[in-house]
Amino acid sequence: MRYMAEKATTQIYCWYGDNDFAIFEQVKKWREMFAQKYSALNVVSFDREEANVTDLVQALKNAMRVDSLFGSEKLIILRNFLQPEKKEKKTDEESKTKDKKEKAEPRDEAADALVELLDKFSGDFFIVFIQIGQPDGRRALFLKLKKLAATGRAEIKEFKSPRGFEFKQLIRQIIEKKKARFDDSAIELLMATVGNGLWQINQEIEKLIHYRQGEIVRREDVDFLVKGKFNDNIFALMDEIGAGQKSRALELLHDQLDNGVNEIYLLAMLTRQIRLLIIAHDLVTTYGIKDKNELARRMKVHPFVAQKVLVQTKQFSREQLESLYRSLLVIDTSLKSDNVDARLLFDRFIAGL
């Protein structure tokens, strides 16, 4: 009987992309389902980077043989067989010699063996190729998979990291899957504190669920338990904004986005920072608080954050902070309701300083 295939003829799957969390969650699900239906002994995996070529080729051939002892059904997971060729430093002479071969198909004995084996393996086998990042489209193995996909024997799927509102939706799905409850402000703060790392988000969710013991997780729980990685670049960005250095502020902002920082995370961090500055500004001007520990106690933040905020309050007036806060609310509304370029929105925010 066919197993897990969406189509009766699909036996080969290629999962790639930068969302490694989603890829490995999918692999974990398939492993568990296959082991439950057949046996864990019927699931085998190989990593191109963890074995020498000779042993790997022989192991692949053995794995693709039908073993009547454990049944004919097998799930074979293959990782890093589609990765781009690693570039090595060459001398000037070597570079000149190999320039003409730059576009040539990279050779890999293990991958080449798989090209042949894909046409010969049992009808009860399922093969999953995993590649974090983009596969090398020049490889004969990937070209073979594309050819098989055109006939329905293979399926190629890219797992993209969620962006913007999709990221928040994915966090909600993770929480629902764990049968837990988080209020919206708790999710917002979790994103602002941790960033767009799904592995850490998942770990923090587990920790918060264990802490609340079945009760709803609230904002104050996240604030208390989750160790924020208050990005120094955010503080630096606010310094440049306070000094009116638009070009430097724009450079720092672009660095964040170019390094994969989620737009919603960046917006939440900036909004949170300005909110803290408004609170600190009021405490300093109204009560004359100048001690970081006292400010930290009043604001319920870490003394490190209080110290940074205390210094930055001198760079802004209350009116400036309120204006910045309103501008970020406009960005928040646009990101949630419009199909707009987040980078353009942030650029306009800096230009309007």
Side-chain angles (χ1 to χ4, degrees):
M1 187 178 79
R2 295 287 176 185
Y3 176 75
M4 295 186 297
E6 294 178 4
K7 300 177 182 178
T9 55
T10 305
Q11 296 172 257
I12 305 166
Y13 295 81
C14 174
W15 299 336
Y16 73 93
D18 56 5
N19 190 351
D20 58 340
F21 178 84
I23 291 175
F24 286 114
E25 282 291 296
Q26 185 78 349
V27 171
K28 179 183 175 183
K29 179 181 177 181
W30 277 42
R31 275 181 175 275
E32 292 173 350
M33 290 174 62
F34 205 93
Q36 184 178 15
K37 187 174 181 67
Y38 301 108
S39 165
L41 296 172
N42 292 51
V43 181
V44 292
S45 60
F46 299 95
D47 191 325
R48 178 64 186 83
E49 296 183 340
E50 294 182 358
N52 67 63
V53 174
T54 304
D55 291 344
L56 190 57
V57 171
Q58 188 56 51
L60 287 169
K61 291 179 178 178
N62 292 338
M64 290 192 181
R65 293 191 185 123
V66 175
D67 190 339
S68 59
L69 180 62
F70 301 111
S72 60
E73 297 83 2
K74 280 187 181 178
L75 173 62
I76 301 173
I77 300 167
L78 304 172
R79 185 178 179 186
N80 293 320
F81 283 82
L82 301 168
Q83 64 186 346
E85 185 179 24
K86 293 181 179 179
K87 295 183 179 180
E88 299 178 357
K89 292 184 178 180
K90 308 179 184 71
T91 64
D92 291 340
E93 187 176 343
E94 288 175 327
S95 296
K96 291 177 182 178
T97 303
K98 295 183 180 180
D99 274 347
K100 294 181 180 180
K101 298 180 180 180
E102 191 67 29
K103 296 182 180 180
E105 169 201 325
R107 306 305 303 174
D108 184 327
E109 187 180 341
D112 291 344
L114 275 171
V115 173
E116 297 180 13
L117 290 169
L118 287 179
D119 287 323
K120 302 174 183 177
F121 72 94
S122 166
D124 293 319
F125 283 16
F126 291 88
I127 299 178
V128 178
F129 288 89
I130 302 169
Q131 187 61 54
I132 306 306
Q134 293 293 319
D136 191 334
R138 300 169 300 163
R139 289 193 179 277
L141 179 56
F142 188 67
L143 294 173
K144 178 68 174 180
L145 290 174
K146 289 177 70 174
K147 184 177 179 180
L148 291 172
T151 64
R153 284 193 62 205
E155 178 184 282
I156 300 174
K157 180 179 179 180
E158 180 177 6
F159 286 74
K160 296 181 179 179
S161 290
R163 310 290 292 180
F165 186 67
E166 290 180 358
F167 183 62
K168 188 174 182 179
Q169 289 295 94
L170 180 56
I171 293 176
R172 285 200 179 103
Q173 291 171 15
I174 293 172
I175 292 169
E176 289 173 5
K177 185 178 178 181
K178 298 178 186 295
K179 299 185 179 353
R181 295 176 299 156
F182 282 54
D183 67 25
D184 201 58
S185 63
I187 296 175
E188 291 282 357
L189 183 55
L190 185 62
M191 292 170 59
T193 306
V194 176
N196 64 342
L198 282 171
W199 290 106
Q200 188 182 354
I201 285 279
N202 187 60
Q203 291 174 353
E204 297 296 348
I205 288 173
E206 289 282 1
K207 184 168 67 176
L208 287 161
I209 292 172
H210 180 73
Y211 173 70
R212 293 305 298 168
Q213 293 292 308
E215 296 181 9
I216 189 168
V217 176
R218 304 190 184 280
R219 182 185 180 90
E220 52 266 31
D221 301 320
V222 178
D223 206 24
F224 176 70
L225 272 188
V226 179
K227 301 299 180 185
K229 57 173 187 181
F230 289 96
N231 195 329
D232 284 340
N233 286 335
I234 294 296
F235 289 115
L237 177 57
M238 289 305 301
D239 282 337
E240 300 301 339
I241 290 174
Q245 298 295 322
K246 294 184 182 182
S247 60
R248 179 56 181 157
L250 200 60
E251 181 183 339
L252 289 172
L253 191 145
H254 284 180
D255 283 345
Q256 293 285 294
L257 294 173
D258 291 341
N259 287 326
V261 173
N262 183 273
E263 298 94 339
I264 296 295
Y265 163 62
L266 180 58
L267 177 62
M269 284 292 283
L270 283 171
T271 304
R272 175 181 168 81
Q273 185 67 9
I274 291 175
R275 189 185 298 119
L276 289 174
L277 284 170
I278 291 173
I279 296 171
H281 192 280
D282 289 346
L283 288 171
V284 170
T285 56
T286 304
Y287 299 100
I289 296 174
K290 297 181 180 180
D291 178 68
K292 69 175 183 180
N293 293 317
E294 177 62 16
L295 190 64
R297 187 183 68 80
R298 293 284 194 104
M299 296 179 65
K300 297 180 180 179
V301 297
H302 193 280
F304 168 77
V305 178
Q307 176 62 32
K308 289 282 189 179
V309 168
L310 191 60
V311 173
Q312 287 186 339
T313 53
K314 300 173 184 178
Q315 298 177 281
F316 300 91
S317 68
R318 184 67 155 73
E319 291 73 21
Q320 286 177 313
L321 292 171
E322 288 179 351
S323 177
L324 290 171
Y325 192 76
R326 286 193 295 269
S327 296
L328 291 176
L329 289 179
V330 171
I331 294 178
D332 182 56
T333 302
S334 298
L335 285 176
K336 290 178 179 178
S337 59
D338 302 327
N339 184 21
V340 295
D341 184 347
R343 185 182 292 258
L344 179 60
L345 291 175
F346 283 116
D347 285 354
R348 289 175 177 172
F349 168 70
I350 298 298
L353 295 176

